[in-house]
Amino acid sequence: MWAYGPYAREIDIWADLFSEIVIAAPCRNEKPAADSLPFTRDNITILPQMETGGSSLRAKFIQLLLLPCLIRGLWRAMRHADAVHLRCPSNLGLLGTFLAPLFSRYRVAKYAYEWNGYPGEPWTWRLQRRLLRSAYWSGLVTVYGRWPNQPPHVVSLFPALLTINDLARAGAVARNKTMSHPLRLLYAGRLSPGKNVHVLLSAVARLRAQAIPVECVIVGEGSERPALEAQAAELGLMDCVSFAGGVAFKHVFDFYERADVLVLVSKAEGWPKVITEAMAFGVICIGSHWGIWRDILGEGRGIEVPPGDVEALTEAIRHIAMGPHQYDPMRHLAAVWAQQYSLEGLRDALRELLAAHWGLCSTDLAHPAKTPHVGRET
């Protein structure tokens, strides 16, 4: 079984805390994408669910018709579970928010997007946040970032993707990194409309017009790739912009090692993992002036620009290119800060957090062989 790399790595960590993990989710019998990873723990199984979705009226109508089948699938998944873990926002996550309190007092939900919302978000996402804040859910909710005036069961928990060994490699690179000429820019992630990769290409074109030499590598796959390649060709950037496509998780490290600046100016993000990974490698990071970014890039660890603002992004990159060494303190602060987020540390934090909120001893969640609990992940 394979899944999107960050998800697979995180579920492996959950599998270290429970005797059995059953994933209730849609699955496909096809070749894994390049950014996928296999689950590595042998106590993980899957209970396939129907795959629905789409934003059209027809898709929504079909979802409504299939609602009894979706509820029945989650009912089957939850009825034998000792604990239930929901991942929101999602269609199944929304249904699970209603169902999970009927089955177990051991409940935890992860809201993996902007907890304070963003303009234009789906109304179902706002509904999920309202439900998760409510007394009806009352179970633990982990969110990205620290938000004021939240109920006690809503807790900040920063995720991690890098092991201690990965962070050791990143730290060695960060200590020895020197800025390149021309400046090497990097984007890594899905090529989807909300990521604003077209803004980065427009900024590169403006920098070229100002005779500021830069190189840019776009790592990732997605629906926007043909349009972005056409944009790069139209702007005459094919000699300085390359599309690497989707690459395996470990190979992304090679791009972090070579990069000087990582740009991710999305409209919205949950926890932008590529930012913290790049920071660990001593890369200067430019993100959006919005939400969770302030927790990550604040206190001099990075640069924030308004999402969609080509002029602001161009100016930020130009300033780095004109005086790269003045950003050495920023790179150092960022690398030191990112070193605290290891997968092993995440496992320990989850163990202590779950034990505290569920009224258990932390040793009950210390090793799969010693815990009687069964987790259901939707």
Side-chain angles (χ1 to χ4, degrees):
M1 294 188 297
W2 294 61
Y4 176 52
Y7 175 81
R9 277 197 154 196
E10 186 173 318
I11 295 303
D12 280 346
I13 290 298
W14 283 86
D16 289 343
L17 303 178
F18 293 87
S19 58
E20 180 187 1
I21 295 287
V22 178
I23 302 173
C27 58
R28 301 172 182 170
N29 185 19
E30 62 185 33
K31 181 181 178 180
D35 57 0
S36 297
L37 288 172
F39 296 104
T40 62
R41 306 307 196 259
D42 60 8
N43 60 334
I44 299 175
T45 57
I46 189 161
L47 185 62
Q49 305 295 300
M50 296 185 67
E51 183 171 3
T52 64
S55 57
S56 67
L57 288 177
R58 182 176 183 273
K60 296 299 183 185
F61 180 69
I62 292 174
Q63 280 184 289
L64 185 61
L65 290 178
L66 294 175
L67 188 58
C69 298
L70 296 172
I71 293 175
R72 184 177 62 186
L74 289 185
W75 187 283
R76 289 176 56 224
M78 293 182 183
R79 62 182 177 176
H80 298 304
D82 294 315
V84 180
H85 176 211
L86 300 182
R87 294 179 71 86
C88 301
S90 66
N91 293 330
L92 288 182
L94 177 57
L95 291 178
T97 306
F98 286 106
L99 293 175
L102 305 177
F103 291 94
S104 177
R105 64 182 289 262
Y106 299 116
R107 303 186 299 276
V108 56
K110 174 178 179 177
Y111 193 87
Y113 223 75
E114 292 271 1
W115 181 246
N116 63 335
Y118 65 94
E121 71 173 346
W123 68 269
T124 53
W125 293 20
R126 294 194 296 274
L127 175 59
Q128 287 177 65
R129 289 200 304 276
R130 179 169 294 184
L131 286 168
L132 292 174
R133 286 191 185 101
S134 71
Y136 174 75
W137 171 257
S138 72
L140 179 66
V141 181
T142 64
V143 300
Y144 299 146
R146 297 176 176 86
W147 310 100
N149 304 318
Q150 296 303 324
H153 67 275
V154 177
V155 177
S156 173
L157 183 69
F158 295 113
L161 277 182
L162 304 182
T163 65
I164 291 175
N165 289 337
D166 295 334
L167 288 172
R169 171 184 173 180
V173 171
R175 288 189 293 272
N176 296 297
K177 183 179 282 290
T178 57
M179 302 295 278
S180 308
H181 184 81
L183 197 69
R184 295 175 178 172
L185 308 178
L186 173 66
Y187 168 85
R190 298 290 176 90
L191 303 184
S192 56
K195 296 294 188 178
N196 282 343
V197 183
H198 67 285
V199 175
L200 171 58
L201 295 179
S202 297
V204 171
R206 291 195 181 192
L207 292 164
R208 288 285 296 274
Q210 298 173 19
I212 297 175
V214 295
E215 297 175 351
C216 181
V217 178
I218 310 294
V219 176
E221 285 289 356
S223 60
E224 289 294 291
R225 180 169 179 174
L228 294 170
E229 290 179 330
Q231 179 188 5
E234 182 180 347
L235 294 173
L237 301 177
M238 298 308 291
D239 61 330
C240 67
V241 173
S242 60
F243 289 81
V247 301
F249 177 74
K250 287 289 188 179
H251 293 164
V252 178
F253 294 177
D254 300 332
F255 290 94
Y256 294 150
E257 289 191 4
R258 294 192 293 268
D260 300 311
V261 179
L262 182 132
V263 177
L264 182 62
V265 287
S266 312
K267 293 180 182 178
E269 288 281 348
W271 177 267
K273 300 176 181 66
V274 295
I275 288 282
T276 51
E277 293 167 14
M279 289 167 70
F281 279 84
V283 179
I284 300 170
C285 291
I286 302 177
S288 299
H289 183 63
W290 176 263
I292 189 65
W293 300 97
R294 297 166 186 171
D295 284 343
I296 300 173
L297 300 178
E299 301 177 342
R301 292 187 293 267
I303 301 169
E304 301 171 54
V305 300
D309 192 329
V310 176
E311 184 175 349
L313 178 58
T314 303
E315 180 60 22
I317 298 173
R318 186 193 68 82
H319 199 265
I320 297 171
M322 299 301 292
H325 296 300
Q326 65 182 305
Y327 287 88
D328 287 344
M330 176 180 288
R331 293 195 300 107
H332 175 73
L333 279 174
V336 171
W337 181 83
Q339 286 288 324
Q340 65 186 308
Y341 297 111
S342 69
L343 276 170
E344 293 86 352
L346 174 62
R347 181 178 57 222
D348 294 341
L350 281 172
R351 179 190 299 119
E352 297 299 326
L353 186 62
L354 294 176
H357 279 260
W358 290 351
L360 303 173
C361 179
S362 62
T363 56
D364 291 337
L365 297 168
H367 191 279
K370 298 179 181 179
T371 173
H373 301 294
V374 179
R376 286 298 195 273
E377 159 78 13
T378 65

